[in-house]
Amino acid sequence: MSSEKHHFEILKAVPQDAAVLTKISFAAKCHWRYPREYMDIWKDELTITSGYITENQVFIAVWDHKPAGFYSITENRTDRYSGEIFVEKGHWLEHIFILPEFHKIGIGSSLISHAVSHCRAAGIGSLKIFSDPYAAGFYEKLGARFLYDSKSSIPGREIPVYELKFG
């Protein structure tokens, strides 16, 4: 991306955005060249439905009128298990995905800044994050604190869990 002026905004996603958000999540995961079997396992969690958008806080980044990325915040009202994965009570940054062609231009940081502002306005003091191992450095640069390694939906694989506090 060149240095000329671009139009960038972050908008509340609407149910009609489900297909484009799903495309973004799969494209972002595929960028890391995970095996096909992983993508099959992740199919349900990477598929964003209109119901998911209605039930959660989902925001889309638009660069020059093109959807470039998104994030979502979910709330777990109680500690629970999702399969073998323990998910603590609280607010979670469940998804943050950027199309690969928009990597390294600040969209991820802008989405996190937006999420923090959104949470502060809603009285939310922190977000927990199940991080893709490739994204751990991104969260650490933003000041997120490593909590523990968790089982993942891929058998035998662990992923880091972080917390971003902003009170």
Side-chain angles (χ1 to χ4, degrees):
M1 305 284 159
S2 65
S3 63
E4 75 256 11
K5 186 76 173 138
H6 293 276
H7 180 260
F8 176 72
E9 60 187 335
I10 298 174
L11 306 168
K12 180 103 175 80
V14 295
Q16 295 81 357
D17 292 326
V20 74
L21 298 185
T22 297
K23 179 182 171 205
I24 292 169
S25 64
F26 275 92
K29 273 293 196 192
C30 285
H31 172 74
W32 300 112
R33 295 188 171 94
Y34 281 115
R36 180 81 229 155
E37 310 83 73
Y38 285 21
M39 299 308 291
D40 292 342
I41 291 169
W42 290 328
K43 182 179 186 288
D44 289 343
E45 61 192 86
L46 293 176
T47 299
I48 307 302
T49 64
S50 57
Y52 180 88
I53 294 169
T54 302
E55 295 163 15
N56 297 288
Q57 300 166 65
V58 184
F59 293 87
I60 185 168
V62 180
W63 181 276
D64 287 342
H65 308 287
K66 180 178 190 232
F70 76 98
Y71 77 85
S72 66
I73 296 170
T74 61
E75 181 183 7
N76 286 334
R77 298 190 187 279
T78 60
D79 289 344
R80 66 179 178 82
Y81 276 89
S82 175
E84 293 186 17
I85 303 163
F86 179 69
V87 184
E88 292 178 59
K89 176 182 178 177
H91 289 87
W92 288 81
L93 180 67
E94 187 165 75
H95 294 298
I96 181 168
F97 290 114
I98 291 86
L99 284 171
E101 61 263 34
F102 293 101
H103 284 182
K104 308 255 187 237
I105 60 171
I107 291 176
S109 299
S110 294
L111 285 172
I112 293 292
S113 293
H114 186 275
V116 168
S117 295
H118 175 77
C119 287
R120 281 187 173 137
I124 299 166
S126 70
L127 289 172
K128 291 187 178 75
I129 307 159
F130 283 108
S131 175
D132 185 289
Y134 289 112
F138 169 74
Y139 294 119
E140 289 169 2
K141 273 196 260 180
L142 295 171
R145 183 174 62 92
F146 173 79
L147 298 177
Y148 54 87
D149 284 318
S150 168
K151 289 183 178 184
S152 82
S153 50
I154 306 298
R157 179 176 182 257
E158 290 192 337
I159 57 171
V161 177
Y162 287 87
E163 183 173 38
L164 185 60
K165 288 188 176 187
F166 36 79

